[in-house]
Amino acid sequence: MRVVKFSPLLLTFFLLAACSADPEAADHYAKREEVNVIIEAPASIEADSAPQIDVKLTQDGQVLEQEASVHFLVWKDDNKADAESIPASLEDGTYHLEYNFPSDGVYFIKADVKVDNIHLMPTKQIRVGELTEEEKEKILEEQEQKKQENSGGHHHH
Amino acid sequence: MEAQKEPSVSKKKQRKRRSLYQSVWRWHFYAGLIIMPFLIILAITGAVYLFKPQIEAALYKDYYEVTPQTTITTPSEQINTVEAVHPNAAVTSYRPSDSPDRSAEVGITEDGKAYTIYVDPYENVILGKLEDSFKLVNVFEKIHGELLMGTVGDRIVEWAACWALILIITGVYLGWPKMKGKSKIRGVLVPRLNKGKKLRARDLHVVPAFWISLGLLFLIMTGLPWSGLWGNNFQTLTTNAGVGYPPSVWVGDAPASDVKTKEIADVPWSAENLPVPVSTNQQYTQLSVDDVVSIAEEEGVKPGYNIMIPQTQDGVFTLSAFPPKARDEVTMHIDQYTGAVLADYRYDNYHTLGKVIAYGITIHKGTEFGIWNQIIGLLVCIGIVGIAVSGFILWLSRKPEGKLGSPKAPSDKVMKGVIVLIIILGIIFPLVGISVIFVWLFDRFVIPRVPALKRFFNA
């Protein structure tokens, strides 16, 4: 009987094939077009200045040639509801934010990017000037609290 | 027939057939006796689980139903409300309301336990909290899937399901019609109720078993892809080969969020969404759940999905929906920093086997075809309990006689088929293969040497 002869081979194959998901398996299935986005900002920003803040779009390591629709939302601290919407100015494939940070503190810059049916919306948090002692203390306190609660497990479907 | 020409050879052949028939009967008996309790447990818990939607809608009415109003709060506001009440919990998931009169759900883990919090999205108040592992239907599901025994239980269920296949195969052989012509179907497709007690007991097992076996076979084949050992391997093989589910729907890894710069890597990840850590100047923040919901809308995902919130630095938001109908399934992975859709797997993106398994699962769960799916599922469950019990009664009714009845064996062809099928099953299902070898050794070497066993098994 053929089946009997090959059964140890098949069984070994089956057991060996066990448990190893192929990281390349996704190549066999539907893929989405990918555009990468980064927000570049200077290492230090002073209040009442207009620093150079850019959004760069790339695809497969190359600057994206296609023009995207980009606008920024800028807000301070938790005041997201009052965010200012500022359209980006395009120059040499780079999208600039022209904004004057009025005072020291923690700001958020959200770039809203649309190319075809791709919609990206990274938010970067930046520090302008010096933080007050109060702000620093609050940060440390919240970090400590977050650390404790995040010691939990990893969620998996 | 042949018997008249060469009586001695034919007699020998018949004896051989008779003894084969008896060993198949013994195998049917072993399999039945061992897995009967498991089949009954699976059938009962499965029958309850079939009606999960109705049971939960009734049990959690107060948590589910809300009164629609003109203004609605955002998901992040609802999550804030939950965080305010459970300051030490980690928020793991959010399920937007899927109809105007249904609450939203926030999943949290607190002290290592998972809870679901139901929130009225209009009033932004918490309606109630349930511990996931204590939800009634989840308990039934856990018994159905692993007998409340974790991995060991999962393997037992898988093994019992595979042995049920052997029961079906040996049962078909034993019940194979021996008479020719019209009476063939009697005793297999239609019971003989007025031909004496013995035949009635037999037919009340064999006839329903024949019909129920079709349903049982379906439930086993559609349930096995769920199992921990065989199912996982099967899913991995089909996914890797590009013929099944895309990775991460069942097995395989989700893509990772692009951890852009060392700005993120340097900071303890748990600092997400907090003001700039003192040590660095800038960093990307995690997308708000509001953004994820709007992406879902843009991508045409209908409400009824769940959003898994990333719990690691390179984790992703995973949006998943496993609604009643297989063709509406969605698994979508979203970069937690940029909102980029890294993978979007709908039913249409499953390859052939994946589609088949998906339909198998929704029919197995009784959701694909609405109430009729549930009713037929329930009937099969009742039938399984029925044939387990009638099989036991049949065995009891024959045991005192110490005889098997009249084993008129069908042709050698059928017998060979049974053996080949069992060997193939043993190869496809390693748990069956291993236990078949043990039972065969027991049957071949232990029983003939122990007189009491020999008598008991009528070997």
Side-chain angles (χ1 to χ4, degrees), chain A residues 19, chain B residues 224-237 250-251:
Chain A
C19 316
Chain B
L224 275 172
W226 257 303
S227 61
L229 180 69
W230 189 86
N232 250 333
N233 283 328
F234 177 69
Q235 298 273 16
T236 307
L237 282 174
W250 272 92
V251 294

Side-chain angles (χ1 to χ4, degrees), chain A residues 7 18-20 22 28-30 32 37 39 42-43 110 119 121-125 127 139 146 149 155 157, chain B residues 233 239-240 242 245 249 260 272 274-276 278 281-285 291 298-299 308 337-338 344 349 351:
Chain A
S7 64
C19 316
S20 53
D22 180 0
H28 297 301
Y29 301 89
R32 290 286 293 231
V37 56
I39 303 175
K110 179 173 178 178
H119 190 181
M121 51 192 87
T123 300
K124 204 164 201 180
Q125 201 177 40
R127 193 168 80 188
I139 292 166
K146 272 270 170 184
E149 76 189 46
H155 193 77
H157 164 64
Chain B
N233 283 328
T239 294
N240 287 354
Y245 282 111
V249 179
K260 302 214 158 278
E272 49 94 6
L274 288 179
V276 189
V278 185
N281 185 33
Q282 43 179 266
Q283 67 172 108
Y284 289 92
T285 64
D291 287 335
E298 285 176 13
E299 297 286 343
M308 253 83 83
Y337 304 110
T338 67
D344 176 9
N349 303 123
H351 289 176

Side-chain angles (χ1 to χ4, degrees), chain A residues 1 3-4 6-7 10-11 13-15 17-23 25-45 80 106-108 110 114 117-128 131 136 138-140 142-143 145-150 152-157, chain B residues 83 87-90 92 230 233 236-249 252 258 260 263 267-278 280-285 287-288 291 294-295 298-299 308 311-312 320 322 337-345 349 351 419-420 423-424 426-428 430:
Chain A
M1 286 232 247
V3 185
V4 180
F6 285 111
S7 64
L10 281 170
L11 192 68
F13 171 73
F14 189 87
L15 293 175
C19 316
S20 53
D22 180 0
D27 294 345
H28 297 301
Y29 301 89
K31 290 214 140 198
R32 290 286 293 231
E33 201 187 348
E34 240 179 90
V35 168
N36 292 305
V37 56
I38 53 167
I39 303 175
E40 285 184 348
S44 78
I45 297 171
K80 191 177 180 180
V106 174
Y107 286 82
F108 293 86
K110 179 173 178 178
K114 278 183 181 158
N117 51 3
I118 297 176
H119 190 181
L120 307 172
M121 51 192 87
T123 300
K124 204 164 201 180
Q125 201 177 40
I126 59 172
R127 193 168 80 188
V128 172
L131 297 190
K136 282 184 189 168
K138 187 180 160 223
I139 292 166
L140 286 174
E142 283 177 331
Q143 270 184 348
Q145 195 195 332
K146 272 270 170 184
K147 248 182 229 165
Q148 281 170 2
E149 76 189 46
N150 260 323
H154 167 83
H155 193 77
H156 190 78
H157 164 64
Chain B
E83 282 178 325
N88 295 318
T92 54
W230 189 86
N233 283 328
T236 307
L237 282 174
T238 56
T239 294
N240 287 354
V243 296
Y245 282 111
S248 82
V249 179
D258 183 13
K260 302 214 158 278
E263 296 152 25
V267 185
W269 181 82
S270 51
E272 49 94 6
N273 267 343
L274 288 179
V276 189
V278 185
T280 60
N281 185 33
Q282 43 179 266
Q283 67 172 108
Y284 289 92
T285 64
L287 233 59
S288 85
D291 287 335
S294 74
I295 290 171
E298 285 176 13
E299 297 286 343
M308 253 83 83
Q311 305 292 311
T312 57
S320 75
F322 288 90
Y337 304 110
T338 67
V341 176
L342 301 173
D344 176 9
Y345 300 133
N349 303 123
H351 289 176
I419 294 171
V420 169
I423 291 172
I424 292 174
I427 295 165
I428 302 175

